[in-house]
Amino acid sequence: MKLFLKILCVATFFAFAKAIIAQENPIVPENVISFEEYIGFVKKHHPLIKQAELVLTAGEANLLKARGGFDPKVELDYDRKKFKGTTYYDQLYTAFKIPTWYGVELKGTFEENTGQFLNPNLTVPEDGLYSAGVSFALAQGLLINERMATLKKAKFFQQQSIADRRLLINKILYEASLAYFNWLKNENEKIIYTSFLSNAQTRLNAVTRSVNEGDKARIDITEARIVLENRKLALEAASLKATKSRLEVSNYIWLDGLPLEINDNTQPQIPTPTSLNNSLSIAGLTDTNAILIEHPKLESLTAKINSLEVERFLKKNKLLPKVNIQYNFLTPEVDTFDNLNTSNYKAFVDVSFPLFLRKERGDLQLAALKVKDANFERTATTLAIKNKLTATEAEINSLSIQNTYISNIINDYETLVVAEERKFFLGESSLFLINTREQKLIDARLKGNSLTVESLKAVAKLYNVAGL
């Protein structure tokens, strides 16, 4: 299914909307903040955007921590006991360990033990004893162990952090876009009411002159004045809405960690389809499958599933018996390691196996259930995103058609108002009928303004649903 293809159709209604606004407000405001400038400012300076970077940093820190499990380690153990002039024991043990991937650990040690009451099995040559060996797991822990699992899960967590960061930024930009479009809608409403307030004042003046000349009844002045006061009331309410929405937009304007406030005389500007696409980065997408492949929500769930699969494999591996083997070559001189005598060694084998494996089998079942649950969530989320994309595309197309209809309706209402005014001053109509016609025109223009903004919001919603 081709997405965004029909967005080009919205260009027609955008052009119409700009024409309406130009008619209602012929004076171009000196201070204008475009949608593209506004979103660019949000992307660069908003603290929540910077907070999203912390999510990514946390993933990198977690990965660094997991890699620490494979860092070489130096150990030093010194133990000495001396009582009443007698050295019971003096023990020195140093080791250098290098963990490797598949449950194998390389180790080199040095021991130097003396004392009158030294444990016989700790007796070493006078100059100490060197050893070099390896320890490894033959069953449980060979293919995967806690250290390996932690590192694998950390890598998936980093991928999940990148996807979550994109989701957070996506949410912030969507909310910022809605705030701007609400501001645009309310400012346009104020412009509409200002324009028709001027008409009502002009009509009151004309009716007053006609009454003074004896052409109209005095009651027409009362009716014209009521209409004027209603227009003032509507304008005041629209001004309040515009002020509140402007302050809401100011919530997203920051600079160097400090919030800024948009000036009273600053005006929003209706974006063109091109600038809107560029600002929201939706140009170039063609179909649902392309969106679903790179959707951050699905990428996050995929990383979560992969991490749970690692945990499940680890639990499965724990069904195997523990068989740990260690073998060390021994020599009193460090420079003789190139000619080791295999008759000098130290080795041990550690074997253990639970008889019923109830804990291990229970852990495995729980891990498998978590994987299934995450897969169900991903399947449901995929369908929901796909349906939202389809619904939003249908909404954009429908709003484009509705804007075409409202354009024709506004033109017809304008014709009716002009004709009714001509008839009124010829004595063939009434002020009530003119006001009724004009109120219909006001409602139509407000509806057109609302549809214009709803179309902008629908495009922003498409961006939000696509998770770009």
Side-chain angles (χ1 to χ4, degrees):
M1 178 189 62
K2 298 286 184 180
L3 281 178
F4 306 101
L5 188 60
K6 296 185 179 179
I7 293 180
L8 296 177
C9 298
V10 186
T12 303
F13 107 80
F14 278 152
F16 158 71
K18 293 186 74 174
I20 292 177
I21 294 173
Q23 291 177 4
E24 295 165 354
N25 186 28
I27 301 175
V28 179
E30 295 181 358
N31 297 324
V32 174
I33 177 171
S34 68
F35 179 73
E36 192 168 13
E37 293 171 335
Y38 165 72
I39 285 295
F41 212 84
V42 174
K43 290 179 181 178
K44 186 174 182 180
H45 298 288
H46 198 281
L48 290 182
I49 298 292
K50 296 180 179 180
Q51 184 183 14
E53 299 292 341
L54 298 181
V55 177
L56 183 59
T57 304
E60 294 173 347
N62 192 65
L63 179 60
L64 179 63
K65 177 182 176 181
R67 284 176 173 162
F70 293 90
D71 288 346
K73 183 184 298 184
V74 176
E75 296 180 0
L76 174 63
D77 186 8
Y78 180 70
D79 195 6
R80 177 181 178 136
K81 180 179 179 181
K82 189 172 182 178
F83 182 65
K84 293 184 178 181
T86 301
T87 300
Y88 280 61
Y89 53 79
D90 192 309
Q91 300 173 210
L92 174 65
Y93 175 84
T94 62
F96 180 70
K97 300 178 180 180
I98 304 177
T100 60
W101 187 246
Y102 286 107
V104 178
E105 183 177 80
L106 305 177
K107 182 170 69 172
T109 67
F110 172 73
E111 295 180 72
E112 189 176 45
N113 306 320
T114 59
Q116 294 186 22
F117 299 98
L118 186 69
N119 194 323
N121 69 344
L122 298 178
T123 303
V124 296
E126 183 178 351
D127 294 330
L129 182 66
Y130 296 91
S131 71
V134 60
S135 62
F136 53 90
L138 288 181
Q140 183 182 138
L142 177 62
L143 298 179
I144 189 170
N145 53 40
E146 294 287 351
R147 187 168 54 204
M148 296 162 60
T150 300
L151 181 55
K152 287 184 176 181
K153 288 191 290 185
K155 291 180 179 179
F156 291 126
F157 179 74
Q158 185 184 32
Q159 296 175 10
Q160 189 174 358
S161 299
I162 295 173
D164 290 343
R165 169 183 172 272
R166 290 172 56 196
L167 284 174
L168 180 56
I169 293 176
N170 180 51
K171 178 183 177 182
I172 295 168
L173 295 182
Y174 177 59
E175 292 174 351
S177 300
L178 295 186
Y180 183 92
F181 295 146
N182 284 330
W183 181 35
L184 176 66
K185 176 185 176 182
N186 294 330
E187 286 290 346
N188 288 342
E189 282 188 10
K190 188 170 74 171
I191 292 171
I192 292 172
Y193 282 120
T194 301
S195 173
F196 284 98
L197 175 64
S198 176
N199 291 350
Q201 183 65 61
T202 301
R203 191 171 294 121
L204 175 61
N205 295 337
V207 169
T208 301
R209 286 196 302 269
S210 297
V211 170
N212 292 336
E213 294 172 0
D215 294 336
K216 300 290 182 184
R218 183 164 295 275
I219 194 65
D220 286 343
I221 296 179
T222 303
E223 184 174 351
R225 188 166 55 245
I226 290 174
V227 172
L228 178 62
E229 295 301 319
N230 279 327
R231 301 280 168 82
K232 289 180 179 179
L233 180 63
L235 177 59
E236 183 63 28
S239 298
L240 177 60
K241 289 169 60 179
T243 299
K244 292 171 66 176
S245 58
R246 174 176 55 80
L247 292 175
E248 183 180 355
V249 170
S250 297
N251 292 334
Y252 296 92
I253 301 295
W254 293 72
L255 181 63
D256 297 330
L258 298 176
L260 304 179
E261 184 175 328
I262 300 176
N263 294 330
D264 295 345
N265 59 345
T266 302
Q267 297 291 319
Q269 186 180 56
I270 185 170
T272 64
T274 301
S275 66
L276 186 64
N277 291 349
N278 291 338
S279 300
L280 298 180
S281 304
I282 61 176
L285 297 181
T286 56
D287 56 60
T288 304
N289 292 332
I291 296 173
L292 294 179
I293 291 174
E294 299 180 357
H295 198 284
K297 180 62 177 178
L298 299 181
E299 288 183 348
S300 178
L301 288 173
T302 299
K304 176 183 177 181
I305 291 171
N306 291 336
S307 180
L308 291 174
E309 286 286 1
V310 172
E311 184 68 17
R312 186 186 67 84
F313 184 50
L314 177 63
K315 300 299 183 184
K316 185 178 180 180
N317 184 260
K318 289 188 176 182
L319 296 176
L320 299 174
K322 289 183 178 179
V323 182
N324 297 321
I325 296 178
Q326 184 176 130
Y327 186 89
N328 297 280
F329 295 103
L330 303 177
T331 178
E333 298 179 3
V334 68
D335 55 358
T336 60
F337 273 115
D338 56 348
N339 189 21
L340 290 172
N341 187 345
T342 57
S343 62
N344 299 325
Y345 66 89
K346 180 173 66 174
F348 77 86
V349 177
D350 178 23
V351 179
S352 64
F353 184 68
L355 294 180
F356 299 111
L357 293 172
R358 285 181 289 197
K359 178 181 181 299
E360 290 75 12
R361 287 187 287 115
D363 287 341
L364 178 59
Q365 290 178 8
L366 290 174
L369 289 175
K370 290 180 180 180
V371 172
K372 287 184 179 180
D373 181 70
N375 277 310
F376 287 143
E377 182 182 0
R378 191 185 191 284
T379 301
T381 302
T382 301
L383 181 61
I385 292 174
K386 186 175 182 179
N387 289 337
K388 284 182 180 179
L389 288 171
T390 304
T392 306
E393 182 194 26
E395 182 181 1
I396 291 174
N397 293 335
S398 176
L399 287 171
S400 178
I401 296 172
Q402 291 180 53
N403 274 279
T404 301
Y405 292 154
I406 199 66
S407 172
N408 296 332
I409 292 172
I410 290 174
N411 290 334
D412 289 342
Y413 272 130
E414 288 176 341
T415 302
L416 283 176
V417 171
V418 172
E420 204 64 45
E421 283 187 329
R422 187 180 299 114
K423 289 169 64 179
F424 174 73
F425 285 103
L426 292 176
E428 298 178 1
S429 182
S430 66
L431 189 61
F432 171 78
L433 193 55
I434 291 178
N435 290 333
T436 301
R437 300 285 194 197
E438 193 171 64
Q439 186 58 49
K440 294 290 185 181
L441 175 58
I442 293 174
D443 293 341
R445 285 193 172 177
L446 291 175
K447 181 67 174 177
N449 177 53
S450 178
L451 288 175
T452 299
V453 174
E454 288 301 317
S455 297
L456 293 171
K457 288 182 178 180
V459 176
K461 182 180 179 182
L462 189 61
Y463 151 85
N464 177 252
V465 174
L468 300 177

